[in-house]
Amino acid sequence: MSTTTIAPFVKWAGGKRQLLNAIKERMPEKYNAYFEPFVGGGAVTFELQPEKAFINDINIALVNAYRQIAHAPKEFLEIINTLDSDMWEDGKAYYYALREQYNDKLMKEEMDSELAALFVFINKHCFNGLYRVNGKGLFNVPYNNSRRVSCDEDSIMATSEYLKKINIFDGDFQAACHEAKAGDFVFFDSPYAPLNPTSFESYTKEGFDVESHRRLAALFDELTDRGCYCMLTNHNTEFINELYGGKNYKIDVLSVKRMINSDAKNRVGEEVIICNY
């Protein structure tokens, strides 16, 4: 399958574009179905384009965008092109007005093409492409002063053709792996573990706490017992090494740039790729 025009349509915290080669080098030579329970921006899925794939995310607005692009790409493009082409006398005021419209639709759970278009628009025009919500679940990232086009039409249409052939879910990561069987490949790109015991990173109102990481590690063990090929990426921390070390898993450490961090001096770090094969 050609990968020339299929690409992530949003920027996502912890996205794996810079680790694609390292991930591909470590993949099993052959596998059956592909599972990605934390799909995020979909860099790995779109690079691999497996024929039988199950992608999932707990962020319902993100999953709605995947579904609308899969099944109503022309409607999505018509709306987002209108958003891009409207006169921007004041880009900042325009962005905040659309952000308010997005939050209003989100609170009403109006999962449609308009919400998807607003979602992609604010992703491309918010600071660092970060998806962050407040305690009420409202998106609150400020404007990045950009007036660039939100998406490429050819890429969206090609992406739509691929997405309509695969399975798209919104829910808990454990439920997303329910159908995984021996010989299937499960790629986990979970929310990052805290870099230190007092820090915490959360991109959805549900959060992903220490207990969630422990539950994920238990699922990794369970899938290993099922005979699944499993790969997981995360920060190289003592906590992650405690969860996955000493179990005959292969743990490789890689240096990475963390472009999502607002402080340039904190944009270099280490991540791990953990495999059970």
Side-chain angles (χ1 to χ4, degrees):
M1 234 174 154
S2 171
T3 59
T4 53
T5 55
I6 297 179
F9 50 83
V10 290
K11 182 179 180 181
W12 208 249
K16 287 297 171 282
R17 295 189 208 194
Q18 66 173 310
L19 283 182
L20 282 175
N21 287 337
I23 289 168
K24 289 164 68 176
E25 287 171 0
R26 291 163 174 79
M27 287 180 56
E29 290 185 12
K30 293 182 180 180
Y31 58 90
N32 298 325
Y34 174 83
F35 290 78
E36 190 168 352
F38 305 93
V39 69
V44 177
T45 293
F46 290 140
E47 176 70 17
L48 302 177
Q49 294 176 44
E51 291 185 10
K52 186 178 182 181
F54 299 80
I55 63 173
N56 175 82
D57 205 279
I58 200 169
N59 187 313
I60 58 173
L62 172 64
V63 174
N64 175 65
Y66 275 101
R67 288 173 172 157
Q68 297 300 329
I69 289 172
H71 303 294
K74 292 182 179 178
E75 183 179 355
F76 167 84
L77 285 169
E78 182 179 348
I79 297 170
I80 203 164
N81 286 341
T82 299
L83 296 177
D84 281 341
S85 62
D86 279 355
M87 293 297 292
W88 293 20
E89 292 184 9
D90 185 336
K92 187 174 182 180
Y94 184 66
Y95 170 81
Y96 287 120
L98 291 183
R99 191 181 76 174
E100 184 176 352
Q101 182 181 349
Y102 168 80
N103 280 327
D104 183 60
K105 288 182 67 67
L106 187 62
M107 290 301 99
K108 295 176 181 176
E109 297 186 356
E110 295 176 357
M111 299 297 152
D112 55 17
S113 292
E114 183 181 38
L115 183 73
L118 287 164
F119 176 86
V120 174
F121 179 92
I122 63 174
N123 177 267
K124 294 301 174 68
H125 298 91
C126 73
F127 182 73
N128 260 351
L130 177 65
Y131 193 88
R132 184 189 65 202
V133 295
N134 62 21
K136 296 180 180 179
L138 298 172
F139 182 80
N140 64 357
V141 182
Y143 180 47
N144 67 3
N145 295 312
S146 167
R147 292 176 180 245
R148 64 177 174 173
V149 174
S150 298
C151 64
D152 178 81
E153 289 196 23
D154 290 340
S155 180
I156 290 294
M157 294 306 297
T159 300
S160 174
E161 286 302 309
Y162 174 66
L163 288 176
K164 68 178 58 173
K165 301 173 185 175
I166 68 174
N167 304 278
I168 305 172
F169 299 101
D170 61 291
D172 183 76
F173 64 87
Q174 197 162 0
C177 297
H178 182 70
E179 299 295 327
K181 301 178 178 64
D184 292 340
F185 176 46
V186 186
F187 174 67
F188 292 106
D189 180 23
S190 67
Y192 284 132
L195 284 170
N196 61 66
T198 60
S199 71
F200 182 75
E201 297 183 34
S202 175
Y203 303 109
T204 67
K205 64 180 179 180
E206 292 83 6
F208 202 83
D209 57 15
V210 167
E211 185 53 40
S212 297
H213 282 287
R214 294 192 186 281
R215 190 160 60 92
L216 175 58
L219 176 62
F220 197 95
D221 294 341
E222 178 189 330
L223 292 171
T224 298
D225 291 339
R226 281 192 221 172
C228 299
Y229 300 110
C230 296
M231 179 188 292
L232 179 142
T233 60
N234 214 300
H235 283 322
N236 182 27
T237 68
E238 183 178 339
F239 177 58
I240 290 296
N241 280 277
E242 171 194 314
L243 289 178
Y244 297 93
K247 298 181 180 180
N248 294 320
Y249 297 150
K250 184 178 181 183
I251 303 178
D252 293 337
V253 180
L254 297 88
S255 295
V256 296
K257 294 180 181 179
R258 295 188 182 127
M259 302 308 294
I260 205 74
N261 199 305
S262 58
D263 188 345
K265 69 182 180 182
N266 290 328
R267 289 183 177 176
V268 178
E270 290 184 342
E271 294 196 12
V272 290
I273 297 181
I274 303 171
C275 299
N276 69 350
Y277 50 89

